[in-house]
Amino acid sequence: MTTETHDIVDTAVAAGSFTTLVAAVTAAGLVETLKGAGPFTVFAPSDDAFAKLPAGTVEDLVKPENKDKLTAILTLHVLSGAVHAADIAGKTLSPASVNGEALTVDGTDGVTINGAKVVSADIACTNGVIHVIDAVLLPKG
């Protein structure tokens, strides 16, 4: 294992616990964006988080005709800029995600994003940071 830092997409691929997220990012055409300069903060649902969705949800979302809906869901998980755990410890914030919807970030008792718990924080990437969450965030609309 090398200690070399990679971009967000390559880091997610190498981790092995984000196969569903990587497949969704690919289906939505967001790979090049998340390999871009950034910096980005990604709240990355693990494969276990995707498994909590109703049966068939992921398979339905990755269909070409659902690309806009999938993109809206995925971009809800991304912030512009690199936000680290220390930046939000003890605070409650409402930053706008890349899709424009405000997130509810609560760092007063661990960290939650719209109710999803951050289970692993501050995974450094060359173009930002990944925080692993235990649920998939869904747009309000």
Side-chain angles (χ1 to χ4, degrees), residues 2 14-15 23 28-29 31 37 43 45 47 58-59 63 67 70-71 73 75 83-84 97 100-101 119 123 129 136:
T2 122
V31 170
F43 300 109
D47 288 340
V58 173
E59 294 79 5
K63 291 178 180 173
K67 185 176 179 179
L70 179 62
T71 300
I73 291 169
T75 55
V83 180
H84 295 87
S97 67
E101 188 175 310
V119 294
I123 300 169
V129 61
V136 177

Side-chain angles (χ1 to χ4, degrees), residues 74-87:
L74 294 173
T75 55
L76 184 63
H77 293 78
V78 182
L79 300 177
S80 291
V83 180
H84 295 87
D87 300 329

Side-chain angles (χ1 to χ4, degrees), residues 4 11 15 46 57 62 64 70-71 76-77 82 84 87 90 92 98 103 114 124 135-136 139 141:
E4 184 181 344
T11 300
S46 63
T57 300
V62 297
L70 179 62
T71 300
L76 184 63
H77 293 78
H84 295 87
D87 300 329
T92 53
V98 171
L103 297 173
N114 287 11
V136 177

Side-chain angles (χ1 to χ4, degrees), residues 11-139:
T11 300
V13 169
S17 55
F18 303 108
T19 55
T20 307
L21 177 61
V22 171
V25 166
T26 301
L30 295 173
V31 170
E32 288 308 310
T33 301
L34 291 176
K35 284 177 140 318
F40 303 107
T41 298
V42 176
F43 300 109
S46 63
D47 288 340
D48 290 342
F50 276 101
K52 292 179 185 177
L53 292 172
T57 300
V58 173
E59 294 79 5
D60 194 49
L61 286 171
V62 297
K63 291 178 180 173
E65 63 267 25
N66 294 324
K67 185 176 179 179
D68 289 345
K69 185 175 183 181
L70 179 62
T71 300
I73 291 169
L74 294 173
T75 55
L76 184 63
H77 293 78
V78 182
L79 300 177
S80 291
V83 180
H84 295 87
D87 300 329
I88 55 177
K91 301 176 186 171
T92 53
L93 306 166
S94 297
S97 67
V98 171
N99 88 351
E101 188 175 310
L103 297 173
T104 301
V105 179
D106 186 342
T108 59
D109 181 20
V111 178
T112 60
I113 315 300
N114 287 11
K117 184 177 171 70
V118 173
V119 294
S120 182
D122 292 341
I123 300 169
C125 304
T126 57
N127 61 345
V129 61
I130 295 173
H131 303 290
V132 183
I133 57 175
D134 68 353
V136 177
L137 307 178
L138 298 173

